[in-house]
Amino acid sequence: MPEHVPVMLNTVIGLLAGLNVGVILDCTVGAGGHARALLEACGPDARLVGFDKDPDAIKTARKNLSGFGDRVRLVNRDYRFAAEELAGIQADRVLVDLGISSMQLASDRGFSFQGAQPLDMRMDPGSQVTAMDILRNMRPNQLAALFRDAGVTRPAVLARAIKKAIQEGSLRTTRDLAGISRAVLGHHRKHDPATLPFMALRLAVNREMDALKAFLKDLENITAPGGRVAILTFHSIEDRLVKQAFAALRTRGWETPYKKGITPDDQEVEANPRARSARLRYIRRPI
């Protein structure tokens, strides 16, 4: 399994470190890369609550963070339930990394289009709907709208091609879907044509936008006075929601020092291509 490299790690630590006593909330703990660095950068009385709905991620994080003992509590749930799990406790530092992890890309659950895997894409293997279910059950216009919202060019043409392939029995694996995407969308200078269709399906399967909206709605209740929040987005859909939520919080006195967000420098993108589309938005709640 490839090692997961936390995106914009130094920037995250620079913004969220300096906590001596209190709670760090890592909403998408993954393998625990950001969490470990935050715990090391904060005082010994700071503790961390980490969420992830992927049970494999929780197992890996538990192993990687075992040295911190009872400073760490890991929760195998979607972070949309953070307010419920915190049960009135407010977080002094909040991190949300909306990117997909290297563990998931290396799994056999269909997140990557480099091989021939089942069209699954469930972060929580116990959830009901797979990517193939969506492709089969959505009407062509619904599927086209899903792709259009993700920025896919020629979304209606792609939706019709996918439906035709399903009827013909020629769409079974991630390789099949990637091939259809490339045939319909052609070549792209910056990324594989399959990238956006795969992302659109992953977002839909895992209801990621629903989770983000619910979390942002709870953010003021979750964050302690004087608290700091950093959210890493990887697509304009996510970034727009965060930007709008932060704008609303500014009207209530919250501070956003970096109005356009922070992007990784060229050196990080070269070392970790997954950081290419990242944007970090940061906000502080007044004391």
Side-chain angles (χ1 to χ4, degrees):
M1 180 183 298
E3 180 183 359
H4 180 77
V5 180
V7 171
M8 297 183 70
L9 179 62
N10 292 336
T11 304
V12 168
I13 299 307
L15 294 172
L16 300 185
L19 181 68
N20 292 318
V21 178
V23 176
I24 304 163
L25 173 61
D26 187 336
C27 293
T28 47
V29 72
H34 284 117
R36 172 185 289 277
L38 282 168
L39 286 163
E40 290 172 346
C42 293
D45 293 321
R47 52 199 176 93
L48 180 137
V49 181
F51 281 78
D52 208 297
K53 62 183 175 182
D54 187 334
D56 291 343
I58 291 291
K59 290 178 185 176
T60 302
R62 183 168 288 119
K63 177 181 178 181
N64 291 341
L65 301 175
S66 60
F68 295 99
D70 60 7
R71 290 180 66 193
V72 175
R73 175 189 168 208
L74 298 177
V75 183
N76 185 196
R77 290 187 82 183
D78 193 306
Y79 71 97
R80 75 177 72 193
F81 301 111
E84 179 182 321
E85 289 285 343
L86 290 174
I89 297 172
Q90 291 182 307
D92 302 275
R93 301 289 187 269
V94 179
L95 173 66
V96 187
D97 177 357
L98 296 172
I100 189 169
S101 74
S102 298
M103 292 184 300
Q104 289 164 337
L105 288 170
S107 73
D108 59 357
R109 284 182 268 163
F111 292 105
S112 171
F113 44 78
Q114 300 304 321
Q117 297 177 359
L119 284 160
D120 188 324
M121 300 190 193
R122 292 174 296 173
M123 291 179 177
D124 175 4
S127 61
Q128 298 300 311
V129 178
T130 68
M132 194 64 190
D133 292 331
I134 288 176
L135 294 174
R136 281 199 186 107
N137 297 331
M138 274 193 172
R139 296 191 296 272
N141 64 318
Q142 293 174 315
L143 196 55
L146 183 72
F147 292 143
R148 186 180 301 111
D149 289 344
V152 176
T153 58
R154 308 184 75 202
V157 179
L158 178 60
R160 289 195 297 270
I162 287 171
K163 286 296 189 179
K164 183 173 184 288
I166 290 174
Q167 290 176 346
E168 295 173 348
S170 58
L171 176 54
R172 297 186 179 90
T173 70
T174 54
R175 179 174 292 163
D176 299 331
L177 179 59
I180 293 168
S181 300
R182 290 164 185 150
V184 170
L185 303 177
H187 297 288
H188 194 285
R189 184 171 57 87
K190 292 185 177 180
H191 56 72
D192 191 298
T195 300
L196 292 180
F198 268 69
M199 187 199 71
L201 283 170
R202 191 202 84 216
L203 294 177
V205 167
N206 297 289
R207 298 180 60 196
E208 293 179 50
M209 294 303 97
D210 291 342
L212 180 58
K213 290 175 184 176
F215 176 78
L216 290 170
K217 186 176 180 180
D218 285 339
L219 189 56
E220 193 160 24
N221 295 324
I222 289 170
T223 309
R228 309 176 192 174
V229 181
I231 302 182
L232 277 162
T233 68
F234 292 82
H235 190 272
S236 59
I237 301 174
E238 303 164 338
D239 187 59
R240 188 180 307 115
L241 290 175
V242 176
K243 181 180 178 181
Q244 291 169 348
F246 282 12
L249 289 172
R250 278 203 307 274
T251 67
R252 295 196 284 279
W254 291 51
E255 301 171 346
T256 51
Y258 309 97
K259 295 298 189 295
K260 294 184 178 180
I262 308 169
T263 54
D265 58 30
D266 293 341
Q267 185 177 359
E268 178 172 2
V269 172
E270 184 177 353
N272 182 16
R274 289 185 60 253
R276 178 184 62 245
S277 56
R279 181 180 297 273
L280 189 152
R281 291 199 179 267
Y282 171 71
I283 196 167
R284 298 186 298 231
R285 182 175 182 179
I287 295 174

